[in-house]
Amino acid sequence: MAAGPPPDALGRRILCGTEYATVRYVGSVPATAGIWLGVEWDDPQRGKHDGTYEGTQYFKCRHPRGGSFIRPNKANFGVDFLTAIKDRYGLNYEQDVQHGTENTLVFGKKTVEFVGMDSIAEQQRQLNQLVDISVRECAVSHAGPEEEISRTCANIRHINLSKNLISSWETVVAIASQVQNLETLNISENKMKFPSTSTSVSSVFSKLKILALNQTEITWKEVLLCAPGWPALEELYLTSNNIAVLESRPDNVLQTLKLLDLSENQLQDGSQLHAIAHLPRLEQLILRNTGLTSIYFPDAGFGCKSKMFPSLKRLAIQDNKISQWSSINELDKLPSLRSLQCHNNPFMDTEKNPETLRQLIIAKISQLEVLNKSEILPAERKGAELDYRKIFGKDWLAAGGNWNPEKNKPSEEFLAAHPRYPSLCLKYGAPEEGELKGQQPLTLKNQLLTLTIKCPERPEQKPVEKKLPESMTIQRVKGLLYRLLKIPGSELKLSYESSKLEGKEVELDNDLKPLQFYSIENGDCVLVRW
């Protein structure tokens, strides 16, 4: 006679072959003999119906064809945690160890290879040294006998339990309660039930620093209900959980959090971020593909810093639907922002030249040091800000801007579009009218510049006038000057003076950048020193 399902089968996660499912019904189906399991498959293509069979609804499925019936003997209800460890690392005494070099254990930083074990005592010794354990896809479903984990694996600090058969948060607690010094826990890809009401705070996760709950179907409300039990948590990964609304602020919880990843959750709107804006230590926020259309911090005006996200240094907003440059302006309000990733957003389609696009973002966010994983060097920032000041100079004048401070009253509309413009004028001086005459479009390539070449420290060298394409790199300019002035190009130090701004000298210190990067114009003077 075939074995029946376990008494707690309803709601349990199972494997059937290589397919994962959740048991939604246990019982008979008329016109057939014996017990059936009604299951909802993770992959709805595997199913046949929605839990309704011949007019009777036995269970419900999210997908109209996500369910089917299977016999209990086809369902793998999984193994306990310790059995999975022994199987994974070839330490099950009952089995012959024939995995050869695949049997590797990590003891701190030391990797040890096992071919076989002589005795149970030796196996026990090795289990007790395990620090970093991965039992991913090992069909772990329960903790096993009480206290057996703590007796056997006393030194575990890092556990990867992803893609197993864990059905509830209680099972996670039962395992973790036997691991005294647990620091890292990955339980992603386990569809499980979480507490729906506040639970008594225990010390089970008192040392936990990193927790991954990706693809677990957890809600934000459930996160906050569990969070009091994570008093030392620094990194929390919550990707792909269908979290749309951050209903409430995490008051008195997650106060130690430094990294939060909400990627692949379709957030309702940008205001959801306000719920997490006052986490005091949050340094990194990852919001890749969250459906964001805008970002705004209403507590601060133009050119002011927000009190939101006080410690945020790194922000990732790539693969979203941000279409307006105003959201990029808003990011300048973040007092600690140093790194931004923003690829694949519609606002980036407004400028076809990627170099110009990068310069605009740099000029708009004053403290940014890394953009799309590429460092922003001081020379690049200076060039970007000088260019920005020049490009929008005519708009500034037209909107009421003036080089006379008493008459300088740009409109609210201009300041909304260019909130950093006043500070750029303070930094580099307001653009003179003459400086803006005949301004060429940024996209115009290979425009010839008429430049005067001077050697200020060598009066015997007479100034020379040359026509150079603005796309010419500094390296090529040095090569030309080497031939022209008969001196080694590698020893040259170049800078330039604008004909519009007397006494201001700008170093040409990046050999790979073109002349146009430094906003050099007709009539400017290139200074050569060696």
Side-chain angles (χ1 to χ4, degrees), residues 287-299:
L287 299 169
R288 182 176 45 79
N289 190 19
T290 51
L292 280 178
T293 56
S294 65
I295 296 172
Y296 58 97
F297 308 110
D299 68 320

Side-chain angles (χ1 to χ4, degrees), residues 9 11 39 55 177 267 272 403 519:
V39 300
S177 64
L267 297 176
Q272 301 306 314
W403 51 90
S519 306

Side-chain angles (χ1 to χ4, degrees), residues 126-140:
Q126 301 296 358
L127 277 169
N128 210 30
Q129 289 184 52
L130 284 170
V131 173
D132 190 335
I133 280 179
S134 175
V135 283
R136 177 177 168 80
E137 289 190 272
C138 287
V140 177

Side-chain angles (χ1 to χ4, degrees), residues 236-430:
L236 180 58
Y237 298 86
L238 296 171
T239 71
S240 305
N241 279 312
N242 297 317
I243 295 172
V245 181
L246 307 181
E247 298 98 331
S248 51
R249 282 171 54 163
D251 293 324
N252 302 318
V253 291
L254 303 178
Q255 299 298 294
T256 55
L257 203 64
K258 292 181 180 178
L259 181 154
L260 178 61
D261 189 349
L262 285 166
S263 298
E264 308 287 343
N265 291 292
Q266 294 305 299
L267 297 176
Q268 200 172 75
D269 52 50
S271 68
Q272 301 306 314
L273 302 184
H274 299 169
I276 54 171
H278 299 283
L279 291 171
R281 297 183 191 175
L282 190 66
E283 294 179 5
Q284 186 169 358
L285 181 59
I286 306 168
L287 299 169
R288 182 176 45 79
N289 190 19
T290 51
L292 280 178
T293 56
S294 65
I295 296 172
Y296 58 97
F297 308 110
D299 68 320
F302 306 136
C304 300
K305 296 300 180 188
S306 172
K307 290 182 179 177
M308 296 185 178
F309 296 103
S311 302
L312 192 66
K313 293 179 182 176
R314 295 181 291 282
L315 177 64
I317 51 170
Q318 65 267 46
D319 304 320
N320 277 296
K321 299 172 183 174
I322 297 168
S323 58
Q324 300 296 320
W325 279 96
S326 56
S327 290
I328 301 303
N329 292 337
E330 288 289 303
L331 296 180
D332 189 50
K333 294 179 181 179
L334 296 176
S336 303
L337 189 65
R338 297 293 181 270
S339 173
L340 175 67
Q341 288 185 59
C342 58
H343 283 307
N344 286 350
N345 276 287
F347 80 87
M348 299 185 79
D349 299 334
T350 59
E351 174 53 60
K352 291 178 182 176
N353 183 338
E355 185 69 32
T356 304
L357 185 69
R358 181 176 167 85
Q359 284 185 277
L360 288 172
I361 297 169
I362 291 169
K364 282 179 174 288
I365 307 174
S366 59
Q367 296 170 113
L368 211 58
E369 294 172 358
V370 179
L371 176 57
N372 292 326
K373 296 187 177 181
S374 176
E375 187 182 357
I376 301 166
L377 297 171
E380 184 179 17
R381 170 161 293 286
K382 189 170 189 176
E385 291 178 343
L386 284 168
D387 251 8
Y388 190 92
R389 174 181 152 280
K390 194 180 292 186
I391 294 163
F392 297 104
K394 284 186 175 178
D395 294 345
W396 173 73
L397 287 170
N402 197 295
W403 51 90
N404 181 341
E406 292 176 9
K407 295 180 181 178
N408 181 30
K409 293 177 181 175
S411 66
E412 285 287 305
E413 289 80 8
F414 179 84
L415 291 174
H418 309 283
R420 275 208 76 212
Y421 205 87
S423 63
L424 292 179
C425 288
L426 283 172
K427 190 173 181 179
Y428 300 107

Side-chain angles (χ1 to χ4, degrees), residues 31-71:
T32 64
I35 298 295
W36 290 90
L37 301 179
V39 300
E40 181 177 8
W41 301 99
D42 287 10
D43 177 8
Q45 303 300 317
R46 178 76 169 75
K48 295 178 179 177
H49 50 71
D50 65 352
T52 300
Y53 180 69
E54 294 192 349
T56 302
Q57 186 177 60
Y58 293 89
F59 59 98
K60 290 181 180 179
C61 285
R62 295 179 197 179
H63 193 277
R65 294 184 60 82
S68 56
F69 290 102
I70 63 169
R71 290 295 189 184

